[in-house]
Amino acid sequence: MRELFMYLFLLVLCVKSVYSTPTREQFQNCLSTKQFNSTLKNPINLTTHTLDSRVHTDFSESSSPNSSFLNLNFTSLKPILTVKPKSESEIKQSILCSRKLGVQVRTMSGGHDYEGLSYLSLSPFIIVDLVNLRSININLTDETAWIQSGATLGEVYYKIAKTSKIHAFAAGICPSVGVGGHISGGGFGTIMRKYGLASDNVVDARLMDVNGKTLDRKTMGEDLFWALRGGGAASFGVVLSWKVKLARVPEKVTCFISQHPMGPSMNKLVHRWQSIGSELDEDLFIRVIIDNSLEGNQRRVKSTFQTLFLGGIDRLIPLMNQKFPELGLRSQDCSEMSWIESIMFFNWRSGQPLEILLNRDLRFEDQYFKAKSDYVQNPVPENVFEEVTKRFLEQDTPLMIFEPLGGKISKISEIESPYPHRRGNLYNIQYMVKWKVNEVEEMNKHVRWIKPFTIT
């Protein structure tokens, strides 16, 4: 037995001596060799990750059983380095050196990855941060745009708004979300019921594969092109840019907010919304937000109906009176605005300069959060919302967002793209809880609260 133990011990040492995690210096040397560096005019932009890194925090000394929870920016395994390419040739170098040294590649465009998959790995890895590759070229003649993956939604929306008053892109409302991750995962937004998800509007893409070869839709083939649009594109290579269809929108759209404290009457209203939200006119998007707020010394749970209508007030009021009279909407509750102003409206920033959309750091300030989602196929009972109110009073900053599906999303077959939540789904729920203290036990407390929480 002793001899066997010694044999295994020596075998492990031998294996370890044959392969060890490449160092930052080894990766830099690879990038600087003539073979990989012949096309570079400037040194590639590299970032080293230290123990006090904001993105990668070392909790290996914690005694908590959940200290290795690979989530919420907490992990003990940091990347060898982060590469911030300024050209496609630099991306190619990074891929080829990763392949040569046997490390994985994680691609990041905006950093909004809830579960941190774009900057976590169980194996040695580097991050390719596409922040410097964010050009946006709009062609109004064929109503398309080529967008590099490092651009944010806010940058795209700003460029569109400066180019046309009657065009938009069907994607999300958070301006600092990166285009690359958003499109490759599907891409919810306020005009999705009319025009589909962001991924539904992709007509071409440029992908760099593991061999450093750049492919477009024609050269990659329809199977791979299918997989990129909602299947998590980073699994297949680095998507350099996307060609998307732009959507035509009216010069004036209508928005309104209707906010009420949760209680018996509001429970009925939210319950009613479940049945009609996905069946309304495709021009109409009504989402429901449930959260709580401190009023004096007491916390109150409230619900908010936040709405975009692709048309004027004169069309909206009769439509609401017919389909959702329970809300009691009046003309004076509504505001007409441009489409780009509706993006500001949904970000609670009406009246602020559009340039705020260019702020890539626009997100929760000094807050950590855990989020998850559900897809609802049958309305939940009315009494469920009573329980939601009770549970929400247990936390300072819980949040639920209900977003209606239906419309164009349901008309597209679930086999036309990897995104599966099509016909038969009424709405999506996003559950979220936030906190400010950067400690493992604080994280675990909130994760334990939200993990079993569901209304379906």
Side-chain angles (χ1 to χ4, degrees):
M1 180 64 71
R2 183 177 181 182
E3 289 77 8
L4 177 61
F5 174 79
M6 289 300 297
Y7 171 77
L8 292 175
F9 178 72
L10 291 172
L11 180 62
V12 170
L13 287 180
C14 290
V15 171
K16 188 173 181 179
S17 66
V18 172
Y19 176 80
S20 59
T21 302
T23 64
R24 181 178 189 271
E25 289 70 27
Q26 285 177 298
F27 212 97
Q28 282 183 288
N29 289 337
C30 179
L31 292 172
S32 62
T33 58
K34 186 175 181 180
Q35 175 186 1
F36 294 121
N37 206 30
S38 58
T39 59
L40 272 184
K41 294 181 180 179
N42 300 304
I44 198 164
N45 191 346
L46 305 174
T47 300
T48 303
H49 293 273
T50 59
L51 292 180
D52 61 353
S53 167
R54 179 179 177 274
V55 177
H56 304 277
T57 307
D58 190 347
F59 283 96
S60 57
E61 296 181 0
S62 170
S63 59
S64 168
N66 293 321
S67 62
S68 62
F69 194 69
L70 298 184
N71 197 350
L72 304 161
N73 297 350
F74 295 101
T75 177
S76 59
L77 183 60
K78 298 182 292 296
I80 298 169
L81 52 79
T82 291
V83 183
K84 296 181 179 179
K86 295 181 180 178
S87 66
E88 293 181 3
S89 62
E90 293 182 3
I91 296 178
K92 180 176 180 178
Q93 287 177 276
S94 302
I95 291 174
L96 294 179
C97 283
S98 296
R99 181 175 177 181
K100 178 181 179 181
L101 296 174
V103 301
Q104 295 192 13
V105 175
R106 292 289 181 268
T107 309
M108 183 165 67
S109 57
H112 272 259
D113 184 346
Y114 280 7
E115 296 301 309
L117 299 182
S118 59
Y119 41 83
L120 300 182
S121 176
L122 296 176
S123 304
F125 71 108
I126 67 162
I127 294 174
V128 175
D129 186 347
L130 301 174
V131 62
N132 294 316
L133 298 173
R134 55 181 196 264
S135 70
I136 303 160
N137 296 304
I138 296 173
N139 185 335
L140 290 182
T141 302
D142 63 1
E143 299 181 302
T144 62
W146 271 105
I147 307 169
Q148 285 189 305
S149 288
T152 63
L153 296 182
E155 291 168 342
V156 173
Y157 296 160
Y158 184 85
K159 184 69 175 287
I160 292 173
K162 291 298 182 179
T163 306
S164 170
K165 294 181 178 180
I166 59 169
H167 287 90
F169 177 48
I173 62 171
C174 183
S176 57
V177 167
V179 165
H182 188 67
I183 293 179
S184 68
F188 276 22
T190 56
I191 60 175
M192 63 181 176
R193 301 190 64 251
K194 177 80 170 184
Y195 295 105
L197 305 174
S199 59
D200 295 331
N201 290 279
V202 174
V203 295
D204 203 347
R206 298 179 66 252
L207 172 89
M208 188 170 290
D209 67 13
V210 69
N211 298 312
K213 184 178 180 180
T214 299
L215 309 171
D216 60 13
R217 179 174 183 173
K218 182 178 180 181
T219 54
M220 76 175 69
E222 288 300 308
D223 285 347
L224 181 52
F225 182 67
W226 176 91
L228 300 183
R229 297 172 295 122
S235 303
F236 309 102
V238 177
V239 178
L240 306 172
S241 56
W242 308 83
K243 185 179 183 181
V244 301
K245 292 183 295 185
L246 300 180
R248 282 202 172 221
V249 293
E251 283 197 39
K252 291 295 181 181
V253 301
T254 303
C255 292
F256 72 81
I257 288 176
S258 181
Q259 194 171 85
H260 312 270
M262 289 298 286
S265 60
M266 189 48 51
N267 294 344
K268 290 182 182 294
L269 204 57
V270 176
H271 182 261
R272 168 69 175 149
W273 171 89
Q274 293 183 95
S275 301
I276 65 170
S278 62
E279 300 296 329
L280 294 171
D281 189 294
E282 292 181 1
D283 288 334
L284 184 55
F285 174 88
I286 305 176
R287 72 174 185 171
V288 180
I289 302 170
I290 300 178
D291 63 359
N292 71 20
S293 59
L294 191 62
E295 298 179 8
N297 295 323
Q298 190 172 8
R299 289 209 164 270
R300 304 247 181 219
V301 180
K302 66 180 184 299
S303 62
T304 303
F305 292 84
Q306 192 177 29
T307 301
L308 168 68
F309 178 64
L310 296 175
I313 296 175
D314 57 337
R315 274 188 61 211
L316 175 60
I317 296 299
L319 185 61
M320 290 294 292
N321 288 339
Q322 179 186 5
K323 299 294 185 179
F324 200 10
E326 296 89 342
L327 196 58
L329 185 67
R330 305 167 301 171
S331 297
Q332 56 265 41
D333 300 324
C334 306
S335 299
E336 291 187 345
M337 61 189 72
S338 65
W339 167 76
I340 193 64
E341 289 172 332
S342 77
I343 296 296
M344 302 294 284
F345 176 88
F346 270 78
N347 278 281
W348 311 96
R349 296 181 181 276
S350 293
Q352 297 186 25
L354 292 184
E355 282 68 27
I356 200 168
L357 297 173
L358 303 178
N359 183 357
R360 297 180 68 94
D361 295 321
L362 197 63
R363 60 192 73 196
F364 298 129
E365 295 183 2
D366 301 321
Q367 287 192 332
Y368 302 89
F369 69 93
K370 168 65 179 173
K372 64 178 186 177
S373 61
D374 263 339
Y375 288 86
V376 181
Q377 297 186 340
N378 296 295
V380 301
E382 187 178 318
N383 64 352
V384 166
F385 298 106
E386 297 177 15
E387 295 302 316
V388 168
T389 299
K390 294 177 184 177
R391 290 294 307 275
F392 267 41
L393 292 174
E394 299 170 0
Q395 290 284 331
D396 291 339
T397 51
L399 179 70
M400 289 174 65
I401 303 175
F402 300 179
E403 295 182 309
L405 301 176
K408 181 68 174 290
I409 295 175
S410 295
K411 293 178 181 178
I412 297 174
S413 167
E414 63 182 23
I415 65 172
E416 288 186 41
S417 81
Y419 186 86
H421 308 290
R422 301 287 184 176
R423 182 180 297 276
N425 290 281
L426 301 178
Y427 60 96
N428 166 269
I429 306 175
Q430 184 174 186
Y431 307 87
M432 184 179 293
V433 62
K434 295 176 280 186
W435 65 95
K436 291 188 176 182
V437 180
N438 183 10
E439 294 179 357
V440 172
E441 184 49 43
E442 189 74 9
M443 174 191 76
N444 290 335
K445 180 179 73 174
H446 290 88
V447 170
R448 284 193 297 267
W449 181 84
I450 198 173
K451 190 173 182 180
F453 186 49
T454 179
I455 69 169
T456 57

